[in-house]
Amino acid sequence: DAEITQSPRHKITETGRQVTLACHQTWNHNNMFWYRQDLGHGLRLIHYSYGVQDTNKGEVSDGYSVSRSNTEDLPLTLESAASSQTSVYFCASSDRSRPLYNEQFFGPGTRLTVL
Amino acid sequence: GQQLNQSPQSMFIQEGEDVSMNCTSSSIFNTWLWYKQDPGEGPVLLIALYKAGELTSNGRLTAQFGITRKDSFLNISASIPSDVGIYFCAGQRQTSYDKVIFGPGTSLSVIP
């Protein structure tokens, strides 16, 4: 079955370190998104991509970067981790070719703790 | 910043009761989506709405796209313990192709 996976599921790192969170989907979706979830804020968009080589900044992109070298993967990199980036990170994808392309499908999440 | 408001923020109900929650915005939306998130999991899409006034059901869940295009409602009938979770609304604005904005969520607890 097609799916969307994230790794690692849990990560503890130190302030200043570079961290990369992986997202992999097997639906062949064009669109991929990264969100962070914090208490009281719901889901906030970090970066998104409409296809290979395309990346766009979302609402809370400072301190994060993404790259899209193939359809299946959109890794999220924290260049220099800060304690304010402690959060739960969700990856999502959607298919622009479907009539209901707004339907985003989410991965299981990565819980990141920055000490 | 936050552009969608959800109410109530949290609710505690008895098993078997009906539940109503809503999502409002000052902006007009093309699409309304309702998601449910179980603890430790990613959000799962429950219902998608694409036309003003549209009423759509998914089992015991019913959602409506408000006539003004600025709000949406979700009702759950005859609640059961597995309904526990956080319910998020999400909307796509006319000027925001493919992106959706999420509300802060309504936390539902069901007392057996």
Side-chain angles (χ1 to χ4, degrees):
Chain A
D1 287 345
E3 60 178 357
I4 181 167
T5 57
Q6 294 183 234
S7 62
R9 292 297 310 276
H10 302 271
K11 175 76 177 177
I12 299 174
T13 191
E14 296 177 341
T15 301
R17 289 191 181 265
Q18 185 181 78
V19 177
T20 297
L21 308 182
C23 175
H24 180 80
Q25 53 97 3
T26 58
W27 281 304
N28 202 35
H29 284 172
N30 310 97
N31 305 330
M32 296 185 73
F33 308 84
W34 272 105
Y35 295 89
R36 60 178 288 174
Q37 184 175 34
D38 305 287
L39 205 60
H41 289 279
L43 291 153
R44 292 183 291 176
L45 184 63
I46 305 172
H47 281 287
Y48 58 102
S49 169
Y50 290 146
V52 176
Q53 302 300 333
D54 176 75
T55 61
N56 305 279
K57 293 181 179 180
E59 178 188 2
V60 290
S61 60
D62 288 349
Y64 303 94
S65 64
V66 293
S67 61
R68 187 89 180 269
S69 58
N70 59 53
T71 301
E72 295 80 18
D73 300 288
L74 187 70
L76 177 71
T77 298
L78 286 69
E79 303 294 343
S80 177
S83 57
S84 60
Q85 293 177 309
T86 293
S87 186
V88 181
Y89 291 85
F90 287 100
C91 180
S93 71
S94 65
D95 184 359
R96 181 174 293 181
S97 67
R98 281 169 45 90
L100 304 181
Y101 57 76
N102 305 105
E103 298 174 351
Q104 294 187 13
F105 298 90
F106 283 81
T110 294
R111 182 173 295 275
L112 176 67
T113 302
V114 183
L115 301 176
Chain B
Q2 203 70 260
Q3 296 180 340
L4 292 183
N5 301 300
Q6 283 189 251
S7 65
Q9 186 175 7
S10 63
M11 48 195 317
F12 295 81
I13 61 169
Q14 290 286 140
E15 183 176 357
E17 288 184 355
D18 296 343
V19 174
S20 292
M21 60 186 77
N22 67 63
C23 186
T24 60
S25 173
S26 58
S27 303
I28 290 175
F29 284 82
N30 269 356
T31 301
W32 288 100
L33 306 169
W34 284 94
Y35 286 84
K36 182 192 177 205
Q37 184 178 27
D38 292 327
E41 304 285 335
V44 174
L45 183 67
L46 299 173
I47 293 177
L49 302 160
Y50 294 95
K51 289 170 57 176
E54 180 181 357
L55 189 71
T56 298
S57 294
N58 178 5
R60 293 177 295 105
L61 279 62
T62 302
Q64 184 163 24
F65 193 137
I67 292 293
T68 65
R69 306 179 74 95
K70 294 182 179 181
D71 54 14
S72 179
F73 309 89
L74 177 69
N75 296 310
I76 305 173
S77 63
S79 59
I80 59 178
S82 62
D83 290 334
V84 166
I86 302 176
Y87 291 79
F88 291 100
C89 65
Q92 185 215 24
R93 294 183 300 176
Q94 293 175 324
T95 58
S96 182
Y97 182 63
D98 282 332
K99 291 190 297 178
V100 296
I101 300 169
F102 284 83
T106 292
S107 175
L108 176 64
S109 299
V110 179
I111 303 168

